[in-house]
Amino acid sequence: MPLADEVIDLFARKGTSAYHGEAVSQEEHALQAAALAESEGAPDSLVLAALLHDVGHLLDGQDEDLADRGVDGRHEEAGCAWLSRHLGLDIIEPIRLHVAAKRYLCAIDPSYRDGLSPASRLSLSLQGGPMTPSEAAAFEQNLHSAAAVRLRRWDDAAKVPGLIVPGPSHYRARLEAAAASAPAPDDRNPPA
Ligand code: FE
């Protein structure tokens, strides 16, 4: 199935599941994050990264209550492994780094941590807690860290119950264009 169809189908089948401890569904959360990115005039790659950043939660029925049970499901890695079959690094890497971006922002901005939702604070400790100064310095060297930080802020804000935003098909053309222009995975990761 082409990626755009697969994504829209995934939201239709699994999107109504709760967004971990928040008052919005997975689909509402993804659509709000993408709408925020669009409203800031972000490039299409980042709008799509916002839409897809938690797709790992929708794959293979990942357990909703993992964090409550003290387990970090590493959803960003599961999502990236699936998406990397179809999309380029400008979309994949901010997604891969969006949890690291939370740990980074907690390290550099004490008020950021205070603003996190209770569920997000709980998962932070499972994800390793705030970065150390050397971890934060290394993170800043990553080519995609600034994009990941932007994505993180949309992620944190995309939890408004009942907000009306465009649906998944609003992003269909951009999904199709991104999938059509992405290099084949084998070209991006040549064997050593
Ligand atoms: Fe999220």
Side-chain angles (χ1 to χ4, degrees), residues 19-20 26 29-30 33 50 53-54 57 75 98 151-152 154-156 158-159:
Y19 181 63
H20 309 257
Q26 288 283 350
H29 174 64
H53 77 275
D54 279 332
H57 285 313
H75 72 283
H98 84 276
L151 170 55
R152 186 72 227 179
W154 300 321
D155 184 5
D156 294 326
K159 300 174 179 178

Side-chain angles (χ1 to χ4, degrees), residues 185-192:
D186 289 346
D187 296 343
R188 281 188 278 125
N189 297 307

Side-chain angles (χ1 to χ4, degrees), residues 72-131:
D72 175 11
R74 303 281 300 167
H75 72 283
E76 69 278 21
E77 295 294 343
C80 288
W82 185 72
L83 292 170
S84 64
R85 294 189 282 129
H86 304 282
L87 297 170
L89 297 179
D90 53 343
I91 299 172
I92 302 291
E93 287 306 302
I95 295 176
R96 190 188 309 284
L97 294 173
H98 84 276
V99 171
K102 177 166 84 168
R103 298 183 56 229
Y104 169 74
L105 284 166
C106 286
I108 63 153
D109 178 2
S111 67
Y112 172 80
R113 186 174 185 171
D114 297 337
L116 289 175
S117 66
S120 195
R121 250 175 281 151
L122 171 65
S123 58
L124 171 69
S125 56
L126 299 173
Q127 291 154 347
M131 286 183 173

